[in-house]
Amino acid sequence: MAKLPSSTQIIPDAPSVPRHIAIIMDGNGRWAKKRFLPRVAGHKRGVEAVRAAVRACADRGVEYLTLFAFSSENWRRPLDEVKFLMQLFVHVLEEEVVKLHRNNIRLRVIGDLSRFDEKLVQLVKASEEKTEKNQTLTLTIAANYGGRWDMLQAMNRLQREHPEKAGNYSEEDLAPYLSMGDAPEPDLFIRTGGEKRVSNFLLWQLAYTELYFTDLLWPDFDAKALDVAIASYQQRERRYGRTSEQLQADAPQRGAAGA
């Protein structure tokens, strides 16, 4: 398994345009409620916002976009809403994968798929296989995903494959077994809907990610809103444990290395 740089072990580059953006798409139900519509109408409108986000990220040179579509805790929602979300997921896979493939976008789905019905699982596999060689953007959908589940399944897999190292596992050993083990850590995390928490999303990977929260509900999040989030990110000082003085002293050296 490939081993990618970790922000807790090295000082990674801090690109001006985030290489990887992760988003919690919150507020679909509230968007619908404000318009006296059923919650499912907000989820339908949210799919349009996903399309807009994918286009905007591809246009701006973002390489990875990871979207939290359904958490392991979302099964607690009303049964009718959960059923609709599963049907919507199937519909989106059936309708959107051809467009993604045409635009050279790779699709991945992470999470525990064991609770999904066989039709959905097969659609996921077929969609991933169809788009696996595409390179413009990697779109990852987190479905029945939880950060704690991710770390546990990674440790269990590592232990099964390397029992001889039990008791001496390192961060480098574990990281490749995580669901996002083949992707760089997110540079920018966005959560819409006004809530200010990460809700069990990419707990390992967000260690040094810049966090951005907006009151915009997800169906209202568009390319302009993405630009505002990226502009906020560009004003951040990504120190990775260093002081501002060290960062400034290091800047000319990094510039010379890239010349």
Side-chain angles (χ1 to χ4, degrees):
M1 291 187 175
K3 294 185 178 181
L4 295 174
S6 165
S7 58
T8 58
Q9 294 180 312
I10 67 164
I11 300 172
D13 291 331
S16 59
V17 174
R19 185 181 181 197
H20 184 177
I21 295 177
I23 305 178
I24 292 182
M25 307 176 291
D26 199 10
N28 289 332
R30 281 172 284 158
W31 182 91
K33 186 176 180 180
K34 286 175 62 176
R35 290 160 178 78
F36 303 100
L37 297 170
R39 287 178 58 85
V40 295
H43 294 304
K44 287 182 178 178
R45 179 63 182 81
V47 173
E48 296 180 28
V50 170
R51 294 191 190 105
V54 171
R55 286 194 300 268
C57 284
D59 289 345
R60 286 152 182 76
V62 175
E63 298 176 39
Y64 295 84
L65 173 63
T66 302
L67 304 177
F68 205 5
F70 191 86
S71 77
S72 50
E73 291 74 44
N74 284 155
W75 294 103
R76 302 167 182 168
R77 292 190 174 191
L79 181 60
D80 288 348
E81 183 173 348
V82 171
K83 184 177 180 180
F84 175 82
L85 287 170
M86 294 302 106
Q87 294 171 340
L88 183 62
F89 196 9
V90 169
H91 175 74
V92 168
L93 287 173
E94 290 176 334
E95 297 293 324
E96 300 297 325
V97 171
V98 173
K99 300 174 187 175
L100 294 174
H101 188 50
R102 188 186 307 138
N103 288 284
N104 198 33
I105 294 171
R106 179 189 178 202
L107 176 68
R108 295 185 64 231
V109 178
I110 60 171
D112 181 4
L113 301 186
S114 64
R115 290 193 65 175
F116 297 143
D117 65 40
E118 186 61 23
K119 178 181 180 180
L120 179 52
V121 172
Q122 291 305 315
L123 272 173
V124 166
K125 291 180 179 178
S127 301
E128 290 181 327
E129 289 174 3
K130 184 179 183 67
T131 63
E132 64 182 351
K133 294 182 180 179
N134 295 341
Q135 298 179 345
T136 295
L137 173 72
T138 295
L139 170 63
T140 301
I141 305 297
N144 195 26
Y145 174 89
R148 292 182 178 181
W149 165 86
D150 196 5
M151 287 187 278
L152 285 170
Q153 67 82 29
M155 178 53 73
N156 287 333
R157 290 172 59 203
L158 173 59
Q159 189 173 36
R160 284 196 301 269
E161 295 189 19
H162 295 284
E164 75 284 357
K165 296 184 69 175
N168 293 290
Y169 295 127
S170 68
E171 181 178 327
E172 285 186 339
D173 293 329
L174 180 65
Y177 290 90
L178 295 163
S179 297
M180 299 292 290
D182 62 345
E185 296 173 8
D187 297 295
L188 174 62
F189 162 91
I190 299 170
R191 180 168 186 153
T192 62
E195 304 290 356
K196 295 178 175 62
R197 54 180 176 267
V198 297
S199 295
N200 199 19
F201 183 43
L202 300 179
L203 296 180
W204 179 283
Q205 296 85 351
L206 294 179
Y208 270 99
T209 299
E210 297 298 325
L211 308 182
Y212 176 83
F213 300 97
T214 175
D215 290 334
L216 279 176
L217 303 176
W218 175 248
D220 294 325
F221 193 85
D222 55 14
K224 182 178 179 181
L226 179 66
D227 286 337
V228 172
I230 291 175
S232 173
Y233 160 84
Q234 291 170 337
Q235 299 302 311
R236 312 286 180 89
E237 191 176 64
R238 305 194 73 191
R239 297 191 297 272
Y240 297 104
R242 297 167 294 168
T243 66
S244 295
E245 290 76 14
Q246 286 176 303
L247 187 66
Q248 292 163 9
D250 188 45
Q253 299 176 25
R254 285 183 174 260

